[in-house]
Amino acid sequence: MESDIESTFNTSLPPFIRLSPEGFEVGNAKKRFLEVAIYDEQVVRAFWKNGILRCQSADGLRSLRTGKPCRLCRNQRSCTPRIVLYLLFAEEPYRLALSYSSSRNYLAYRRELKSKGLTPADALTRLSLCDHGSWCEVKFQLIM
């Protein structure tokens, strides 16, 4: 019984998938597209000043540092919201942090799924990249 609690305690969060002009970096491989199941999503916020992380929120609602609600913060306009997706790719869990434009694409995709009576967890999703030179935008497509 002790080993069960230890292994659960020591389990870390899934690794992040990185984006590059060559594709999605998953482990040591680069893929032009991914077919994934999206099993969870999370809004996070980060406030950077002079290259130093001053505040962050793991739920997009409340500061981890002060406990203050984000909606009452005077730095809210400088704070960066992001969506983090929890994915299954090749039966392995991963996380994917979305940029602003990728987040807008994801929200449009969620609306499309909802119009079909689906949730992201119900769908098999194809992720592809649009290379913008210094950054990449994630596109979402329903497979089934």
Side-chain angles (χ1 to χ4, degrees):
M1 176 136 168
E2 287 178 22
S3 63
D4 293 337
I5 196 167
E6 281 186 48
S7 64
T8 302
F9 180 78
N10 290 323
T11 302
S12 65
L13 290 170
F16 277 101
I17 294 173
R18 299 193 186 284
L19 309 179
S20 74
E22 295 82 36
F24 296 94
E25 295 179 13
V26 184
N28 295 327
K30 290 187 180 170
K31 308 278 187 185
R32 295 299 302 159
F33 66 89
L34 300 176
E35 292 182 358
V36 301
I38 301 169
Y39 66 89
D40 205 358
E41 56 195 22
Q42 174 183 19
V43 175
V44 298
R45 297 184 75 88
F47 174 56
W48 296 84
K49 187 172 183 180
N50 300 326
I52 299 170
L53 181 63
R54 301 291 182 171
C55 186
Q56 63 182 339
S57 169
D59 61 6
L61 300 172
R62 186 171 297 280
S63 168
L64 290 173
R65 195 179 110 252
T66 65
K68 180 179 178 179
C70 294
R71 63 183 165 74
L72 300 177
C73 181
R74 66 186 170 133
N75 296 313
Q76 188 176 31
R77 288 196 173 146
S78 301
C79 190
T80 308
R82 295 185 86 174
I83 295 175
V84 176
L85 299 179
Y86 290 78
L87 313 169
L88 283 177
F89 171 69
E91 303 301 320
E92 292 293 322
Y94 292 94
R95 291 181 292 166
L96 179 63
L98 302 177
S99 67
Y100 178 75
S101 60
S102 297
S103 293
R104 285 185 16 195
N105 294 341
Y106 177 66
L107 295 173
Y109 178 64
R110 286 178 88 240
R111 287 191 298 274
E112 174 192 341
L113 292 176
K114 186 176 181 180
S115 74
K116 296 176 181 184
L118 299 170
T119 68
D122 299 326
L124 182 59
T125 304
R126 181 183 176 120
L127 306 180
S128 59
L129 290 177
C130 181
D131 180 12
H132 292 282
S134 62
W135 60 283
C136 296
E137 181 179 359
V138 180
K139 304 280 187 168
F140 299 83
Q141 178 185 7
L142 175 63
I143 295 175
M144 59 181 218

